[in-house]
């Protein structure tokens, strides 16, 4: 008989505590090692929520996530011009190119990939190709929609990605303090340096299209979730267990996977009712405002959203408040910390048919994958670089 365990909860810290802890002059750690172990350690959910972000975060998040719907609604000709097949669709627009575990290609979501080298230099749009001529996934330059089609898009996306990376640097510095104390021969400041100086950090703006009824998950699966509490944009963190094993993951919107970078910064999702055509954007659209979209305060289906499969084998729904960011551990960080911090399998479940009656519900979100530079050694024992590590991951999923 399986032993029922108390559901784990996502760990939350204030950005002010991260900033205080990151100061080289303080003697008190406001983010103690126990907190980091609870968030990222071997028995954790592998996720840390950061609250009390700068005041511009919330409106910037809503603007960028609204742009995701407008982006996906651009003409086929423009979207085709934003697609880069030679980069394996990991730069620019990608739709229907990602293979799912069923062997089918995923048409339920569109992705817009951005190289974040601009974090180092506003003129940079890709990692340098000099030493990696055959790695266009990172070295191909960004392709941006024309201002006449999506005015203000690039500026807003770069600003939000910069804010997320700035916050990731603070999380990385806290992780470094832990690693120096707990990992033999760990290089002081390693993760902070990696996150702060990377030219290969990549962002993924996601638009989950409203799913046709035939693709929606069945109600036949029993889900132990309290609908009154499981709202993704609620002003608190809640986690809910789901009955079922790994093979039963209801990953109807995004298949179960591991991130392969260091720290992945995640916004909460923005749900939009796209039953009616989107407002028309003109070339004169203001860069400070967008026509209002019919956004929903929460998912119409409380079961929809981000799920993590815990170390104990339980599947847990994690709700990220709209005013906070979440940071997940990736495979590279697991290698760097020699397993002290672990990457976690996670997936996204779409809303069910009855919950969305009369609506076509889309889900928009942004993930920023902070990653080492391609030539950075991530495994000191074997000398494997991140480029070699990432190549193996890309080939495995290609």
């Amino acid at each position: 008989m399986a032993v029922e365990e108390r559901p784990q909860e996502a760990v939350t810290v204030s950005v002010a505590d991260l900033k205080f802890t990151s100061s080289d002059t303080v003697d008190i750690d406001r983010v103690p090692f126990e907190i980091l172990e609870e968030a990222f350690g071997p028995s954790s959910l592998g996720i840390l929520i950061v609250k009390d972000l700068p005041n511009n975060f919330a409106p910037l998040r809503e603007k960028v996530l609204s742009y995701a719907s407008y982006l996906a609604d651009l003409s086929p000709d423009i979207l085709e011009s934003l697609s880069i097949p030679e980069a394996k669709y990991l730069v620019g627009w990608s739709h229907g190119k990602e293979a799912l575990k069923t062997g089918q290609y995923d048409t339920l979501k569109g992705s817009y990939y951005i190289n974040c080298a601009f974090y180092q230099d506003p003129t940079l749009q890709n990692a340098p190709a000099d030493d990696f001529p055959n790695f266009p996934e990172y070295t191909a330059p960004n392709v941006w929609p024309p201002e006449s089609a999506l005015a203000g898009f690039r500026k807003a996306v770069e600003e939000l990605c910069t804010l997320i990376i700035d916050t990731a640097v603070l999380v990385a510095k806290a992780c470094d303090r832990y690693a120096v104390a707990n990992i033999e021969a760990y290089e002081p400041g390693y993760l902070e340096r990696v996150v702060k100086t990377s030219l290969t950090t990549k962002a993924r703006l996601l638009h989950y299209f409203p799913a046709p009824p035939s693709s929606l998950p069945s109600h036949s699966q029993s889900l132990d979730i309290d609908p009154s509490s499981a709202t993704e944009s609620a002003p608190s963190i809640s986690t809910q267990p789901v009955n079922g094993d790994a093979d039963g993951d209801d990953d109807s919107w995004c298949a179960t996977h591991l991130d392969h970078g260091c720290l992945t910064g995640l916004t909460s999702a923005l749900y939009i009712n796209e039953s009616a055509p989107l407002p028309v954007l003109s070339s004169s659209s203001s860069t400070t405002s967008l026509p209002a979209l019919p956004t929903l305060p929460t998912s119409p289906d409380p079961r929809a959203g981000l799920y993590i499969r815990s170390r104990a084998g339980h599947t847990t729904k994690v709700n990220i408040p709209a005013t906070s960011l979440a940071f997940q551990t990736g495979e590279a960080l697991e290698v760097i910390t020699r397993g002290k911090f672990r990457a976690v399998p996670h997936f996204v479940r779409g809303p069910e048919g009855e919950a969305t009656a009369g609506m076509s519900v889309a889900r928009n979100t942004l993930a920023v994958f902070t990653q080492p530079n391609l030539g950075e050694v991530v495994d000191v024992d074997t000398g494997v670089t991140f480029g070699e590590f990432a190549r193996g991951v890309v080939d495995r999923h290609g």
Side-chain angles (χ1 to χ4, degrees), residues 16-30:
D17 288 341
L18 288 170
K19 288 180 178 178
F20 184 89
T21 297
S22 70
S23 172
D24 293 326
T25 62
V26 301
D27 296 322
I28 301 173
D29 214 337
R30 288 189 183 174

Side-chain angles (χ1 to χ4, degrees), residues 60-79:
L60 190 56
R61 164 193 165 270
E62 182 160 353
K63 177 191 287 190
V64 170
L65 298 191
S66 295
Y67 268 127
S69 285
Y70 288 111
L71 174 69
D73 199 46
L74 292 175
S75 71
D77 287 347
I78 293 179
L79 291 176

Side-chain angles (χ1 to χ4, degrees), residues 110-175:
S111 300
Y112 181 78
Y113 290 95
I114 308 119
N115 291 323
C116 296
F118 56 78
Y119 185 76
Q120 304 303 320
D121 181 339
T123 67
L124 293 178
Q125 293 297 306
N126 54 285
D130 300 348
D131 297 325
F132 300 92
N134 299 313
F135 217 152
E137 296 92 326
Y138 291 100
T139 61
N142 289 324
V143 285
W144 297 96
E147 280 289 304
S148 58
L150 216 55
F153 174 75
R154 175 175 174 176
K155 180 178 183 294
V157 168
E158 290 185 342
E159 186 177 349
L160 181 55
C161 289
T162 295
L163 189 157
I164 294 173
I165 298 171
D166 283 343
T167 310
V169 170
L170 298 176
V171 176
K173 191 159 189 176
C175 292

Side-chain angles (χ1 to χ4, degrees), residues 73 84 119 125 152 178 201 229 281 306 319 387:
D73 199 46
I84 313 296
Y119 185 76
Q125 293 297 306
Y178 175 90
T201 288
S229 64
L281 291 179
L306 173 67
N319 304 310

Side-chain angles (χ1 to χ4, degrees), residues 102-398:
T102 60
Q104 297 176 314
Y105 285 94
D106 181 10
T107 59
L108 292 183
K109 67 176 177 290
S111 300
Y112 181 78
Y113 290 95
I114 308 119
N115 291 323
C116 296
F118 56 78
Y119 185 76
Q120 304 303 320
D121 181 339
T123 67
L124 293 178
Q125 293 297 306
N126 54 285
D130 300 348
D131 297 325
F132 300 92
N134 299 313
F135 217 152
E137 296 92 326
Y138 291 100
T139 61
N142 289 324
V143 285
W144 297 96
E147 280 289 304
S148 58
L150 216 55
F153 174 75
R154 175 175 174 176
K155 180 178 183 294
V157 168
E158 290 185 342
E159 186 177 349
L160 181 55
C161 289
T162 295
L163 189 157
I164 294 173
I165 298 171
D166 283 343
T167 310
V169 170
L170 298 176
V171 176
K173 191 159 189 176
C175 292
D176 278 332
R177 287 186 174 226
Y178 175 90
V180 167
N182 291 277
I183 301 172
E184 184 179 356
Y186 183 86
E187 177 189 329
Y190 174 86
L191 187 59
E192 179 192 8
R193 174 177 61 78
V194 161
V195 174
K196 187 181 288 186
T197 65
S198 176
L199 296 171
T200 62
T201 288
K202 189 178 286 285
R204 184 183 189 184
L205 182 63
L206 288 144
H207 175 74
Y208 295 84
F209 292 93
S214 60
S215 68
L216 292 171
S218 169
H219 272 297
S220 61
Q221 186 181 23
S222 174
L223 300 176
D224 295 334
I225 297 180
D226 177 5
S228 66
S229 64
T231 52
E232 187 160 17
S233 55
S236 63
I237 303 299
S238 68
T239 55
Q240 306 293 340
V242 178
N243 289 337
D245 56 24
D247 293 331
D249 287 349
D250 197 354
D251 48 3
S252 55
W253 250 351
C254 182
T256 305
H257 66 284
L258 296 171
D259 294 342
H260 71 267
C262 292
L263 292 166
T264 301
L266 297 169
T267 67
S268 66
L270 184 69
Y271 290 91
I272 298 171
N273 182 5
E274 295 187 352
S275 300
L278 297 179
V280 176
L281 291 179
S282 69
S283 58
S284 61
S285 294
S286 169
T287 59
T288 59
S289 63
L290 287 169
L293 293 179
T295 59
L296 306 174
T298 64
S299 167
D301 181 358
R303 295 171 171 86
L306 173 67
Y307 286 83
I308 292 173
R309 196 187 314 144
S310 73
R311 323 295 189 194
H314 298 297
T315 302
T316 302
K317 185 176 188 292
V318 177
N319 304 310
I320 307 170
T323 55
S324 299
L325 283 169
F327 288 89
Q328 282 186 301
T329 43
E331 291 181 276
L333 184 59
E334 182 171 331
V335 173
I336 291 166
T337 61
R338 302 189 180 190
K340 293 290 187 181
F341 295 156
R342 299 287 183 88
V344 291
H346 52 281
F347 64 92
V348 178
R349 175 186 174 147
E352 296 186 355
E354 290 86 341
T356 60
M359 295 187 292
S360 294
V361 178
R363 177 184 188 269
N364 298 339
T365 190
L366 177 69
V368 177
F369 307 95
T370 65
Q371 302 171 144
N373 285 318
L374 295 174
E376 186 82 48
V377 173
V378 294
D379 189 333
V380 295
D381 294 331
T382 64
V384 169
T385 65
F386 180 71
E388 294 166 329
F389 179 79
R391 171 71 71 195
V393 173
V394 171
D395 290 344
R396 190 166 75 232
H397 295 286

